[in-house]
Amino acid sequence: MTAFLVLFLALIPSKPAFGDGFRLSALGGLFLFASDNGPSYDPPAILPTAGVSAAWSITGPLRIEITADAYFSNYEFNTVHNYPMACNPENRMSFVIGFLTGVQATAAFDLGSDILFRVFAGPAADIRIVTLAIGLHPNDITEAELQTQLISDHFWSNGRMFMPVLGFGFDFPMNENFLLGLDFRAWFPIYKLWTNDNTPAIDGWRFGAGLRLTPRKSSR
């Protein structure tokens, strides 16, 4: 995540010429993949994430914002309960790279002293690439291939990639060129309304806390 932020800073000018209607931000933080699989299985996964956000002002405090957050995790397929679970490295069978993308309406309010309060909501989707886990023992390859196919089929069926997002955040002046923000987000497993996949009620919920770095308005 640190390298991502350094690259972001290197690629933008100190006085960005984006205009007052457009904002590009770098995102970084942690995701909690909520679960309740019992004491026999691994605890809920907490994963680092890095991403970007692009926001356009529409009218007054209203913005349209597109976000994309990348993460990765080890997974196994629980054949007893018949659903995938994020797991610790020792239990891995598959490796998942996810791109959690969203399009949301954002309302940004000036609290004074260049501090902004943001609240946002909108549709989102988790685009997941499922591959064999890294560094598997040769004796585990056949089982890993089977589980990887089951995990991929599960994620890409019955609309399980769709999960609306709701959140809020604050932006504070860091210096004359950048705003430092705090973001808190929750993603809802809306697919549970039409699927019966035998998962615990909390399973599939995502919670995120992170930072964002945003160039301030040009002084032109």
Side-chain angles (χ1 to χ4, degrees):
M1 188 177 71
T2 300
F4 179 83
L5 291 177
V6 170
L7 179 61
F8 175 82
L9 291 173
L11 291 178
I12 61 176
S14 60
K15 292 293 184 180
F18 296 144
D20 290 345
F22 178 75
R23 287 291 177 271
L24 182 67
S25 303
L27 309 176
L30 295 173
F31 284 168
L32 170 64
F33 282 27
S35 63
D36 182 17
N37 299 311
S40 300
Y41 300 100
D42 295 325
I46 299 176
L47 308 174
T49 166
V52 295
S53 163
W56 290 265
S57 295
I58 303 301
T59 180
L62 182 62
R63 304 173 180 175
I64 295 298
E65 185 174 12
I66 299 174
T67 60
D69 298 88
Y71 69 89
F72 54 86
S73 179
N74 291 299
Y75 267 82
E76 61 177 323
F77 192 87
N78 187 311
T79 55
V80 175
H81 299 294
N82 203 38
Y83 60 81
M85 300 188 311
C87 65
N88 292 333
E90 61 270 19
N91 297 317
R92 71 194 186 280
M93 286 291 167
S94 301
F95 185 72
V96 173
I97 304 171
F99 300 93
L100 197 51
T101 59
V103 180
Q104 56 220 25
T106 299
F109 303 98
D110 189 350
L111 302 182
S113 301
D114 289 332
I115 298 174
L116 293 178
F117 170 69
R118 292 174 285 102
V119 60
F120 46 86
D126 193 359
I127 310 302
R128 287 168 283 204
I129 301 171
V130 186
T131 66
L132 290 179
I134 300 169
L136 290 171
H137 190 279
N139 292 341
D140 294 329
I141 296 297
T142 300
E143 176 64 20
E145 289 175 341
L146 173 62
Q147 291 198 25
T148 297
Q149 187 61 56
L150 290 172
I151 292 169
S152 182
D153 290 345
H154 183 93
F155 285 157
W156 286 98
S157 65
N158 296 320
R160 291 187 179 92
M161 69 286 294
F162 298 115
M163 45 186 67
V165 62
L166 176 67
F168 69 94
F170 296 89
D171 291 321
F172 304 92
M174 186 173 74
N175 55 37
E176 65 178 9
N177 295 321
F178 294 99
L179 296 173
L180 180 64
L182 299 175
D183 277 5
F184 302 92
R185 295 180 281 176
W187 291 265
F188 306 88
I190 193 172
Y191 57 83
K192 284 178 175 283
L193 296 177
W194 59 77
T195 61
N196 182 18
D197 51 10
N198 197 36
T199 58
I202 192 62
D203 194 84
W205 287 76
R206 309 278 180 83
F207 301 97
L211 301 175
R212 72 165 54 203
L213 192 64
T214 306
R216 302 179 71 173
K217 292 181 180 180
S218 172
S219 59
R220 293 177 301 174

